Amino acid sequence: MTRTRKSYKKAVLWAQVMTWGDRGFTALFAIVLASLLGPESFGLMAIALAFVLFMQMLLEQGIPAAIIQRPDLEEDHLHSTFLLTLGLSIALGGAAALLAGWWGAVNDAPQLSLVIQVLAITLPINGLTVVQQASLQRDMDFRSLAVRAVVSVLIGGAVGIWCAFEGMGVWALVVQTITRSIVALALLWQLSAYRPRFRISPRHLREITSFSGVVFIDAIGVYLNRHAYAMAMGIFFGPIAAGAYALTSKIRDLGTVVATRPLAIVALPEFSRYQDDPDMLRKRFRRMVRLSSLLTLPLIAGLASLSRPIIDLLGDKWTDLAAATALTLALLSATVATAPLSIFATSVMRAVGRPFQAAKLNWFGSGCTLVAFLVAGPLLADGPVGDQIVGCALAQLAMSLFVMLPAQLWCIKRTIDLSPSGIFDQVWPVALASVGAGAAAWFVVSTPTVGGLHPLVTLALGSVAFGAVIFPLAAIFDRSLRADIRAFREGLTDGGPAEPEPAERAPGREALS
């Protein structure tokens, strides 16, 4: 194994640790806090974060991607960018505090004002981390980023749970967020070798912002796609619906983002290495889609089929919304069935120097998401909370499968000349196996005998049924599965699609570990 492949394998492994620590523990703490606090506190925090994260997006302006992508990065690029983000973070923190009352009035929730004003302190804290984090990611030093992510989320989550037991309500979530930001800042400055100097080079700053400006437009689209639900639900429905929807999104992320995020993190630097080699770029793209589908689609099917016992574990504060929340979780899980494709589409466009096309794709997706909520919102505004969250999930699923998927396939075809058939042949075997296993698990947990047991027992039995079915089905539909599993253990190897090969090499497509 060459040094490059070893370093790439190591980066992927540490990216997985970082993501499992960050998104995984975040979702687990969210589930625990949700059972302690109930949907209303969760909804208030989701609406407040939608505002604060918008300011955070304005702070970053696509700068991390510009630092990662730039081939001839110099120290003056980093110094100039650091001072820019530091000044912006202070200004945006003040703006967030001043506009907090307006956002509370728009959502008819006056208590939001103080929550946002306190959360605004995280903006200057995060402003001190943008350049260091991007620099470590450019160097693929995911070990340092993993340590920072895991430690900060664990300390923040522990503090948040303690505050929840003390009866602090939504403030438990606020304290959790601020604690995590402070710990992450301290660790990042300890782990990063970069130290800023107080000098600005207009030329170097222009070189960074010329690329980051387009990525920033892209980032706005990503933001709207991820947080449109909190904005729309806060305005149309209120914090209870927003809280239930936010929780189902976090549970979905526990199974999907945790699986796909490590590859998404390394996709841009990896694709950028082959931006001048179209054939190799297509091979890398297909491999990543395949690996992502092997990780993601079974988890999606498992979450959808086991959604009811998962929600029942939350306890009495969620009893009234249990059925609707479980159905919403199943529908939202299905919305990320295109994740093996979508997480790489924008990365490969940026890698080949087409950030504006990536921005247009994300904006198109954001427009679809906004349309879904803006149509569902007025229609369901006077209905029960359960109908509101299920209706929004259905609208989002329809947009994802029937509008966004064709758009992503078209963009990939134009960018790297990879046809839809060249993508789907990487996905369909595990997709069929996942659907079959999900149906088996749903049948088990839906029987009166199993469904009447304690939710934890029901969940365990459903999981056993899922696991007992998916592996035989996967082996039937995908003959190269064993080779892929072997490749996951051994790391990145040379090769391409699954085809018969000489006896000394295991047949099948290679995969990333």
Side-chain angles (χ1 to χ4, degrees):
M1 184 179 294
T2 67
R3 181 178 179 181
T4 299
R5 282 185 285 170
K6 286 181 179 179
S7 63
Y8 183 74
K9 175 186 176 182
K10 183 178 179 181
V12 173
L13 291 175
W14 278 111
Q16 289 172 336
V17 173
M18 180 181 72
T19 301
W20 293 335
D22 186 355
R23 299 298 184 92
F25 283 124
T26 296
L28 288 173
F29 280 124
I31 293 171
V32 174
L33 288 167
S35 66
L36 296 173
L37 300 175
E40 185 170 5
S41 294
F42 240 74
L44 287 171
M45 188 63 174
I47 298 169
L49 281 178
F51 183 87
V52 174
L53 291 176
F54 178 79
M55 295 294 185
Q56 177 70 29
M57 178 198 61
L58 295 178
L59 167 64
E60 295 184 359
Q61 299 185 61
I63 287 173
I67 292 174
I68 295 168
Q69 189 271 348
R70 186 162 190 83
D72 54 345
L73 188 70
E74 301 174 6
E75 283 194 357
D76 280 346
H77 287 118
L78 300 179
H79 299 328
S80 302
T81 303
F82 178 85
L83 293 178
L84 173 66
T85 56
L86 178 60
L88 277 175
S89 67
I90 296 172
L92 290 171
L98 291 174
L99 294 172
W102 167 79
W103 187 240
V106 167
N107 289 274
D108 195 23
Q111 61 270 47
L112 274 178
S113 177
L114 185 57
V115 171
I116 293 173
Q117 288 171 347
V118 175
L119 285 173
I121 194 176
T122 61
L123 291 168
I125 293 173
N126 293 336
L128 294 169
T129 68
V130 173
V131 173
Q132 283 89 338
Q133 183 171 347
S135 181
L136 289 174
Q137 189 172 341
R138 172 188 170 84
D139 296 336
M140 300 188 81
D141 184 5
F142 292 105
R143 179 181 181 277
S144 296
L145 293 172
V147 171
R148 174 211 183 209
V150 173
V151 174
S152 62
V153 74
L154 288 175
I155 293 177
V159 171
I161 290 175
W162 178 80
C163 292
F165 276 114
E166 292 295 314
M168 293 178 62
V170 68
W171 292 104
L173 300 170
V174 174
V175 173
Q176 176 197 22
T177 301
I178 295 175
T179 301
R180 179 179 175 180
S181 294
I182 293 173
V183 174
L185 170 64
L187 288 173
L188 188 62
W189 277 69
Q190 179 68 29
L191 295 168
S192 173
Y194 169 73
R195 291 296 180 267
R197 295 183 180 180
F198 289 90
R199 66 172 186 245
I200 294 181
S201 167
R203 177 178 67 85
H204 289 85
L205 197 58
R206 284 195 302 271
E207 290 173 349
I208 289 293
T209 55
S210 63
F211 182 89
S212 68
V214 178
V215 179
F216 172 60
I217 298 174
D218 180 11
I220 296 176
V222 173
Y223 166 84
L224 292 174
N225 200 30
R226 292 178 179 174
H227 301 286
Y229 78 87
M231 295 186 293
M233 289 192 165
I235 294 171
F236 289 117
F237 305 145
I240 295 178
Y245 211 85
L247 178 66
T248 54
S249 296
K250 286 185 178 293
I251 296 175
R252 175 195 62 185
D253 288 349
L254 179 61
T256 56
V257 177
V258 166
T260 60
R261 182 66 176 169
L263 291 172
I265 290 173
V266 301
L268 178 57
E270 176 67 4
F271 289 154
S272 296
R273 293 178 180 179
Y274 302 100
Q275 58 186 292
D276 298 322
D277 188 344
D279 290 337
M280 183 59 70
L281 182 58
R282 283 189 289 270
K283 289 181 180 179
R284 296 286 178 176
F285 189 91
R286 280 162 54 86
R287 290 187 193 119
M288 282 198 168
V289 168
R290 177 168 175 77
L291 176 57
S292 180
S293 67
L294 288 171
L295 296 172
T296 305
L297 297 182
L299 288 170
I300 292 171
L303 281 175
S305 60
L306 302 174
S307 59
R308 184 54 192 263
I310 291 173
I311 297 301
D312 287 341
L313 285 172
L314 296 176
D316 295 340
K317 292 187 177 181
W318 292 83
T319 300
D320 293 341
L321 288 175
T325 305
L327 180 55
T328 301
L329 174 58
L331 294 171
L332 288 182
S333 297
T335 64
V336 292
T338 60
L341 176 64
S342 62
I343 62 173
F344 303 128
T346 54
S347 293
V348 76
M349 285 188 278
R350 293 174 188 166
V352 299
R354 299 182 183 179
F356 187 66
Q357 283 75 10
K360 289 195 292 185
L361 179 60
N362 274 329
W363 267 100
F364 181 73
S366 301
C368 293
T369 302
L370 283 175
V371 168
F373 285 109
L374 291 177
V375 170
L379 293 175
L380 301 170
D382 297 326
V385 172
D387 291 348
Q388 292 170 348
I389 60 176
V390 171
C392 287
L394 278 170
Q396 193 171 356
L397 176 60
M399 284 292 184
S400 175
L401 295 180
F402 302 118
V403 181
M404 273 306 298
L405 177 58
Q408 291 162 352
L409 292 171
W410 182 78
C411 288
I412 292 169
K413 173 63 176 176
R414 290 198 59 184
T415 303
I416 59 174
D417 195 24
L418 181 60
S419 66
S421 62
I423 296 172
F424 287 130
D425 68 359
Q426 305 292 308
V427 175
W428 73 262
V430 70
L432 288 179
S434 298
V435 170
W442 177 83
F443 176 80
V444 169
V445 301
S446 298
T447 59
T449 301
V450 176
L453 300 173
H454 187 278
L456 189 60
V457 178
T458 302
L459 180 61
L461 293 174
S463 300
V464 170
F466 185 90
V469 172
I470 191 167
F471 291 110
L473 286 181
I476 292 172
F477 292 131
D478 191 346
R479 297 179 181 179
S480 64
L481 180 62
R482 291 184 180 179
D484 287 324
I485 294 174
R486 186 181 304 113
F488 298 162
R489 296 196 306 264
E490 296 176 356
L492 187 62
T493 59
D494 293 329
E499 296 176 352
E501 295 184 1
E504 62 268 17
R505 284 186 70 184
R509 301 176 183 89
E510 64 188 305
L512 307 172
S513 71

